[in-house]
Amino acid sequence: MLLAQLGPALELAAGVGPNLILQAIFGFAGLLPLEMYFIPRLQAQLDAETRDDAANVAMTWQKTFDERWLRTFLARLGISVAIGLGLLMFLIPGILILTLFGWAPLRMLLRGDGLLAALKWSQVAMVRHWPRVIQAVLAMTLVAMTYQMAASWALDRLLPAMDPDAGPGALLRLMHPAFWCFNLLGGTLNLWLSCALLALYQRLEGSIQPVESV
């Protein structure tokens, strides 16, 4: 919730006016530490405590995470850029990249695979089990979309009328208690989705043979 408030605070500091594109950019910048560090750290801890795999031992998970985090971050960033370009240019390539290689960063983080081995593992796993994985991800997406629709409906009734092209101003988003509440609920949903994806990965991992690390 506090990190979500960083977005409108950055907008005020930069002196920009209401703009939906800038709002999304500053909002992403505010949540970047959560998405790129704290959530992967939580996933690494939960995986160590629930699986205690030889590649992520419960007693030393913090040291293991620190050793793997940076290269995992860079791999996730690279795959995200490739997905974004694919979605912008042709749509289908972006979806294929996400579907086939989306598990690679988590594999690198939790099992210590190199980039090529993680990409290969993700591809093999999805080729074998993509229908079940897609069903589970669609169910998670439905939960997230339902929350977003409910939050938008509630905010439309709690907030004064405003320009739909500009959205609520930064000061309003920073000070209004409704945004604090929905940011807290949204953050909780984000943590739930991260834990659900971890559980899905562990189920997927248990159903295929390991791929040799590179």
Side-chain angles (χ1 to χ4, degrees), residues 16 23 26 37 51 63 92 94 115 145 151 156 169 172 186:
V16 299
Q23 177 180 332
F26 282 108
Y37 183 82
R51 281 296 177 90
K63 181 175 181 292
I92 299 300
L115 178 60
M145 291 180 62
D156 286 342
L172 180 64

Side-chain angles (χ1 to χ4, degrees), residues 8-41:
L10 290 174
E11 290 180 57
L12 290 174
V16 299
N19 183 290
L20 292 179
I21 296 178
L22 291 177
Q23 177 180 332
I25 293 174
F26 282 108
F28 174 77
L31 292 175
L32 191 61
L34 179 69
E35 293 291 338
M36 291 300 184
Y37 183 82
F38 293 109
I39 285 181
R41 183 180 174 86

Side-chain angles (χ1 to χ4, degrees), residues 17-213:
N19 183 290
L20 292 179
I21 296 178
L22 291 177
Q23 177 180 332
I25 293 174
F26 282 108
F28 174 77
L31 292 175
L32 191 61
L34 179 69
E35 293 291 338
M36 291 300 184
Y37 183 82
F38 293 109
I39 285 181
R41 183 180 174 86
L42 173 65
Q43 289 176 320
Q45 180 180 0
L46 291 176
D47 177 75
E49 292 176 350
T50 56
R51 281 296 177 90
D52 198 19
D53 188 272
N56 189 27
V57 181
M59 293 294 294
T60 59
W61 73 266
Q62 292 174 308
K63 181 175 181 292
T64 302
F65 172 82
D66 291 338
E67 292 173 349
R68 297 173 181 170
W69 172 80
L70 181 57
R71 64 190 181 102
T72 301
F73 167 77
L74 294 175
R76 182 177 177 184
L77 184 62
I79 292 174
S80 298
V81 170
I83 292 170
L85 292 175
L87 291 175
L88 287 174
M89 292 188 297
F90 304 107
L91 187 63
I92 299 300
I95 296 175
L96 288 176
I97 293 172
L98 174 61
T99 301
L100 292 176
F101 305 118
W103 294 113
L106 196 58
R107 180 73 180 180
M108 294 175 65
L109 178 68
L110 301 182
R111 301 296 173 254
D113 283 11
L115 178 60
L116 295 181
L119 292 172
K120 183 179 179 181
W121 185 92
S122 181
Q123 179 185 1
V124 169
M126 290 303 295
V127 167
R128 294 183 184 179
H129 300 289
W130 68 267
R132 296 173 63 187
V133 174
I134 295 299
Q135 289 174 8
V137 171
L138 288 177
M140 298 176 204
T141 304
L142 179 61
V143 173
M145 291 180 62
T146 301
Y147 165 76
Q148 290 293 342
M149 293 172 60
S152 297
W153 179 87
L155 286 173
D156 286 342
R157 282 148 183 80
L158 290 173
L159 300 179
M162 60 193 70
D163 183 358
D165 294 327
L171 185 60
L172 180 64
R173 285 182 283 117
L174 188 63
M175 302 299 295
H176 200 290
F179 285 98
W180 304 344
C181 178
F182 285 112
N183 286 337
L184 178 61
L185 293 175
T188 303
L189 175 64
N190 194 4
L191 292 176
W192 175 80
L193 289 172
S194 300
C195 294
L197 286 172
L198 173 63
L200 181 59
Y201 166 82
Q202 290 178 336
R203 291 285 298 274
L204 190 62
E205 184 181 50
S207 65
I208 65 173
Q209 295 295 323
V211 177
E212 183 179 358
S213 298

